[in-house]
Amino acid sequence: MNSGKANLAGMALKQVEIAARYLPRIEPGMLEKIKHTKREIIVHFPVRMDDGSVQVFEGYRVQHNDTRGAFKGGLRFHPGIDLDEMKALSMLMTWKAAIVNVPFGGAKGGVKCDPRVMSPRELEKMTRRYTWEISPFIGPETDILAPDLGTNPQVMAWIMDTFSMKKGHPVPGIVTGKPLELGGSQGRLEATARGLLVVAERAARLMGMAIKDARVAIQGAGNVGGTAARLFSRAGARVVAISDINGGIYNSRGLDVAKALQCKQDNDCFTKGEIDGDEISNEELLQTECDILVPAAIENQITEGNAGTLRCRMIIEGANGPTTPAADAVLKQKDIYLIPDILANAGGIVVSYFEWVQNLQELLWSEDEIYQRLRKILFRAFDEVTALSEKQQVDMRTAATILGIGRIVEAARLRGIFP
Ligand code: NAD
């Protein structure tokens, strides 16, 4: 398994430079501006643990760009995070919001911790104290948080409560991805995975392929990967492999997804129950013969080292940054069609935008309304990126980055430089 610690910041900057070649009118100074974050907040704070000891945690909130709207981005709880990773992920969020054309900028946050070894009480205290420390810099009009790796609707609820206590009134718009009971949106939990399926359907049509009976391999079984497995399976695809951090399971005839996910939930493992399939490693999962590969765990999984061994026709990036630039080049040679993270997993930010709009205007949209609107936005973004990729003769990642950066630079030009 790859550790995920490649230089994500270097990858993101490289992507900017590639896209900039196709945007000749960008002033060098403006390019320099978007290569930098606007603000990087690092906090250290104590939490009293269940055994009575005090542990000091390091937390981050990086705000990359708010030219087109309030900062928006996920919150990660993971032992391996660092400032560079936050910077890169905040940059990807800025491009993503611009690609799907929602009025947000990009941010990312995290706390260096291992949520799997913490009790719910410790997690709650850590979340609340982190929120308190960054609260001068966040707000429904300035910076809105959302779930990401290691966080979930419960964590969002604690953030919302802590922020609201400070303000003296409920502020549901401070987070998206919260429970429905607190102003969460229908469909938000499934949004990222649903977006993957929407984009996969569009891409499959272009390739003359059908989702029905397509063989799908999914790395990661959390909010994005686990939900994608359910949705692809419901759409008639054959999910032939799925994994989590401990490894995965494979069955060429297709797995019983509900049973496999239940087994993981009960045993923290796919193969301890009575599941019809063979144990595989994460590396083997990536090399599975399939039609669609969905990396939906962490960054830096498809590298120059293993890209040559992949046996899929299409990659739909559920995770942020799962493929390195060197691997991109190998995949291109192998004629593997790749839908990049900044387009493929944008369903999350789109439905987050819907949740935020509903909170600010006190509206309640039905699940059906949400999905119709989501499809419309993702179809349009997919078609715009595809058209640009054909026009400029570039891959989908470069086309998406050109589209996103182009919109941000134009907005910055219109706003001008203060003072
Ligand atoms: P999650 O914590 O719910 O699930 C992560 C999954 O990845 C788990 O199954 C975990 O076991 C697995 N995993 C962790 N480390 C791994 C490793 N080293 N090798 C293999 N598997 C590993 O997180 P999530 O919300 O599903 O996010 C997954 C990815 O999708 C992240 O890159 C995240 O940034 C991205 N993403 C999430 C959202 C969202 O709405 N949640 C939106 C856009 C992008």
Side-chain angles (χ1 to χ4, degrees):
M1 184 194 315
N2 296 305
S3 73
K5 283 318 295 167
N7 186 354
L8 198 58
M11 277 162 57
L13 287 175
K14 176 141 201 214
Q15 213 38 59
V16 176
E17 280 174 2
I18 295 172
R21 289 184 211 143
Y22 299 89
L23 292 161
R25 288 205 301 255
I26 294 192
E27 259 188 86
M30 292 311 273
L31 189 64
E32 202 49 38
K33 175 177 169 349
I34 59 169
K35 284 179 171 177
H36 286 85
T37 61
K38 181 164 180 174
R39 196 175 286 130
E40 293 158 21
I41 302 148
I42 306 181
V43 292
H44 295 97
F45 55 91
V47 174
R48 189 165 301 281
M49 307 302 276
D50 289 350
D51 65 2
S53 67
V54 172
Q55 194 173 324
V56 176
F57 289 89
E58 181 163 294
Y60 311 90
R61 187 70 186 168
V62 173
Q63 300 172 331
H64 174 251
N65 185 291
D66 64 349
T67 304
R68 300 178 74 255
F71 297 110
K72 176 87 185 80
L75 172 67
R76 252 177 203 205
F77 288 170
H78 195 276
I81 59 170
D82 58 29
L83 185 62
D84 273 350
E85 179 179 310
M86 296 287 111
K87 282 159 74 171
L89 291 168
S90 69
M91 191 181 265
L92 293 182
M93 280 304 288
T94 304
W95 312 155
K96 209 180 288 185
I99 291 161
V100 289
N101 217 354
V102 295
F104 285 139
K108 202 77 181 188
V111 179
K112 210 189 260 276
C113 67
D114 188 350
R116 293 178 310 162
V117 301
M118 293 171 71
S119 72
R121 194 178 141 79
E122 290 170 340
L123 264 183
E124 176 175 353
K125 287 201 278 187
M126 186 192 74
T127 304
R128 287 184 183 278
R129 183 63 193 252
Y130 165 77
T131 308
W132 189 267
E133 298 295 337
I134 64 161
S135 62
F137 305 98
I138 60 173
E141 272 114 27
T142 46
D143 186 358
I144 305 128
L145 291 83
D148 194 82
L149 209 63
T151 57
N152 56 27
Q154 177 60 73
V155 172
M156 296 304 114
W158 291 328
I159 295 173
M160 182 254 178
D161 184 66
T162 307
F163 194 80
S164 300
M165 286 293 142
K166 190 161 192 232
K167 293 288 164 192
H169 58 87
V171 190
I174 181 64
V175 283
T176 58
K178 28 183 199 297
L180 284 179
E181 294 80 355
L182 295 176
S185 176
Q186 295 286 350
R188 173 58 185 92
L189 206 58
E190 288 194 350
T192 306
R194 191 162 286 272
L196 296 180
L197 180 61
V198 168
V199 166
E201 281 169 353
R202 202 70 165 180
R205 219 174 63 178
L206 270 185
M207 292 179 77
M209 221 172 97
I211 293 295
K212 189 167 165 9
D213 287 330
R215 293 161 305 161
V216 183
I218 301 176
Q219 186 195 40
N223 177 296
V224 181
T227 314
R230 276 193 207 95
L231 296 179
F232 272 95
S233 164
R234 222 181 285 159
R238 252 189 300 154
V239 177
V240 292
I242 188 161
S243 67
D244 69 1
I245 192 167
N246 301 317
I249 186 161
Y250 169 77
N251 182 334
S252 63
R253 296 182 304 282
L255 295 161
D256 181 332
V257 169
K259 224 169 152 186
L261 292 174
Q262 189 61 49
C263 172
K264 174 187 148 50
Q265 193 176 321
D266 296 344
N267 310 307
D268 200 20
C269 166
F270 286 107
T271 46
K272 274 193 193 137
E274 307 245 312
I275 309 292
D276 193 8
D278 302 321
E279 192 171 340
I280 51 168
S281 66
N282 263 292
E283 197 57 42
E284 286 165 337
L285 180 132
L286 297 173
Q287 295 162 359
T288 301
E289 189 176 350
C290 61
D291 298 301
I292 304 175
L293 175 64
V294 184
I298 55 166
E299 55 273 10
N300 188 35
Q301 295 303 291
I302 303 172
T303 64
E304 198 176 9
N306 64 9
T309 64
L310 264 48
R311 292 183 294 160
C312 56
R313 292 176 68 190
M314 189 196 298
I315 296 174
I316 312 274
E317 291 185 332
N320 287 311
T323 313
T324 65
D328 271 343
V330 178
L331 299 175
K332 207 167 168 182
Q333 275 171 12
K334 285 177 64 99
D335 214 16
I336 295 177
Y337 183 53
L338 182 145
I339 316 292
D341 46 8
I342 45 179
L343 172 62
N345 71 28
I349 193 170
V350 173
V351 178
S352 278
Y353 166 60
F354 297 159
E355 181 172 333
W356 181 72
V357 166
Q358 291 174 87
N359 289 157
L360 295 189
Q361 304 194 11
E362 295 172 8
L363 295 169
L364 288 175
W365 293 343
S366 69
E367 195 174 65
D368 199 42
E369 258 175 298
I370 298 277
Y371 291 150
Q372 298 289 349
R373 288 173 196 264
L374 173 66
R375 282 178 87 78
K376 214 164 142 186
I377 289 184
L378 287 182
F379 279 172
R380 188 188 59 210
F382 184 90
D383 292 348
E384 283 175 338
V385 173
T386 303
L388 202 54
S389 131
E390 283 165 7
K391 183 173 165 206
Q392 300 279 20
Q393 292 292 298
V394 292
D395 59 40
M396 291 287 277
R397 191 187 311 282
T398 305
T401 315
I402 297 171
L403 183 68
I405 292 180
R407 284 185 174 148
I408 294 147
V409 171
E410 179 55 12
R413 189 189 65 76
L414 287 165
R415 281 182 64 161
I417 294 177
F418 175 83

